[in-house]
Amino acid sequence: MGNENLVFKKFLLSKGLKLTKPRKIILDTVFATHEHFNVDGLYDQIRKKHKDVSRATIYRTIPLLIESGLIKQSLRCLAKDHYEHIYGHGRHLHLICEKCGKIIEVESKETESILNKLAKKHDFKIREFNIGAKGLCEKCRNK
Amino acid sequence: MGNENLVFKKFLLSKGLKLTKPRKIILDTVFATHEHFNVDGLYDQIRKKHKDVSRATIYRTIPLLIESGLIKQSLRCLAKDHYEHIYGHGRHLHLICEKCGKIIEVESKETESILNKLAKKHDFKIREFNIGAKGLCEKCRNK
DNA sequence: TTGAGAATGAGATTTATTCTCAGAATGAAT
DNA sequence: ATTCATTCTGAGAATAAATCTCATTCTCAA
Ligand SMILES: [Zn+2]
Ligand SMILES: [Zn+2]
Ligand SMILES: [Zn+2]
Ligand SMILES: [Zn+2]
């Protein structure tokens, strides 16, 4: 796969932290699929193979993954925070169907460059884009 | 002021619901300022004048205000859902400072028309835009 | 005035997330 | 290997936003 491992390890080292077994399992599971994820789903996924990783450690590791630039906070859905990869993924925006929950991902270079321009005008330094819309997908509309 | 009252009343009537005193107080307070708001802040604001509106009723009224098209869910900040007016407000996007919490509102017509185009391509019907970015404002960067 | 349905406040409940803490793992230095 | 300081961990308690329950009160049309 990619070298998320290396990226994460370097990041941890730079902060005097360690790439422990639980952290490695969490990292690997996060990058085992390309879907958005939340803590509960990730926990279930991990538990299929490893009985020795706790929710607490997942909650503690996610901020590290974010700070290392590997993932970002994404949607909030059904009262749960969701996350998604940055590393190895093109930037995109989300069209979220409010009925079936389907998420359509779309390239977003144009919108980002506009946002960058606006941010510059307001002397604002963007760290993370958050671009999308909610509505109805084709299937749910025609049903 | 505007006729949010009328809009809300019509909406409620159309659903067989009533514009009661608590609902009216909540509506008025929501539209008394033009800031984004959350339940706690709204509750405090209301309590300055009216001792007889409960948190429960606020939580129950907000979905009605959303469904009536008067307000929309906006940011999530400090683990709290935030809301903002739609009625009487131009659409805008948010630049949120992650350090001081400042929110810069910016016109967003261009980005919206791009999003509309992309949505059409994916046969998606947008109900609500959600466009913004997180980062650092000028003051927090230069401190 | 009355009655059926809607709405309310108070407080209990739920549940995602954070916190606490005692013990386990780590790894550098001896 | 043995120390030792530090970081990590799992388990479960704690927190707090949002939702739910329920007995009572309001509303309004008949
Ligand atoms: Zn759908
Ligand atoms: Zn995505
Ligand atoms: Zn700031
Ligand atoms: Zn706004």
Side-chain angles (χ1 to χ4, degrees), chain B residues 97 99-102 136-137 140:
Chain B
C97 178
K99 200 154 191 180
C100 71
K102 180 180 177 185
L136 288 176
C137 78
C140 290

Side-chain angles (χ1 to χ4, degrees), chain B residues 7-88:
Chain B
V7 173
F8 197 37
K9 197 166 190 175
K10 268 188 189 166
F11 165 78
L12 292 172
L13 268 177
S14 78
K15 310 258 307 184
L17 307 177
K18 298 155 192 169
L19 183 50
T20 59
K21 219 171 301 169
R23 281 176 183 160
K24 187 159 177 358
I25 291 170
I26 292 167
L27 175 68
D28 288 347
T29 310
V30 162
F31 277 89
T33 91
H34 293 284
E35 302 297 321
H36 303 173
F37 64 94
N38 59 35
V39 170
D40 263 17
L42 184 56
Y43 181 73
D44 291 346
Q45 198 66 26
I46 288 174
R47 277 301 173 116
K48 287 182 190 167
K49 301 211 167 186
H50 309 275
K51 298 298 171 199
D52 48 350
V53 176
S54 70
R55 269 201 178 75
T57 298
I58 295 178
Y59 274 112
R60 281 185 290 232
T61 301
I62 283 176
L64 298 174
L65 291 171
I66 291 175
E67 205 187 337
S68 72
L70 288 170
I71 69 172
K72 62 171 272 195
Q73 194 162 331
S74 176
L75 319 158
R76 186 171 169 86
C77 192
L78 301 175
K80 286 174 190 158
D81 286 335
H82 284 64
Y83 307 89
E84 67 177 329
H85 306 184
I86 293 177
Y87 189 78

Side-chain angles (χ1 to χ4, degrees), chain A residues 34 36 74-75 84-85 89 92-94 103-105:
Chain A
H34 292 283
H36 302 173
S74 176
L75 321 158
E84 68 178 328
H85 306 182
H89 275 251
H92 55 267
L93 56 85
H94 298 126
I103 299 170
I104 302 173
E105 301 203 332

Side-chain angles (χ1 to χ4, degrees), chain A residues 17-111:
Chain A
L17 307 177
K18 297 156 193 171
L19 182 50
T20 59
K21 221 172 300 170
R23 282 176 182 160
K24 187 162 178 353
I25 290 170
I26 292 167
L27 175 68
D28 287 346
T29 310
V30 162
F31 278 89
T33 92
H34 292 283
E35 302 296 320
H36 302 173
F37 64 94
N38 60 35
V39 170
D40 264 16
L42 183 55
Y43 180 73
D44 291 347
Q45 199 64 24
I46 287 174
R47 276 301 172 116
K48 287 183 190 166
K49 301 212 166 183
H50 307 275
K51 298 296 173 202
D52 48 351
V53 176
S54 70
R55 271 202 176 75
T57 298
I58 295 177
Y59 274 109
R60 281 184 290 232
T61 302
I62 284 176
L64 298 175
L65 291 171
I66 290 175
E67 206 187 336
S68 72
L70 288 170
I71 70 173
K72 62 170 272 194
Q73 195 162 330
S74 176
L75 321 158
R76 186 171 169 85
C77 192
L78 301 176
K80 286 174 189 158
D81 287 335
H82 285 63
Y83 307 88
E84 68 178 328
H85 306 182
I86 294 176
Y87 189 78
H89 275 251
R91 286 211 175 116
H92 55 267
L93 56 85
H94 298 126
L95 304 176
I96 306 165
C97 178
E98 297 179 301
K99 200 154 191 181
C100 71
K102 179 180 175 185
I103 299 170
I104 302 173
E105 301 203 332
V106 186
E107 287 285 332
S108 69
K109 282 192 193 110
E110 233 180 326
T111 43

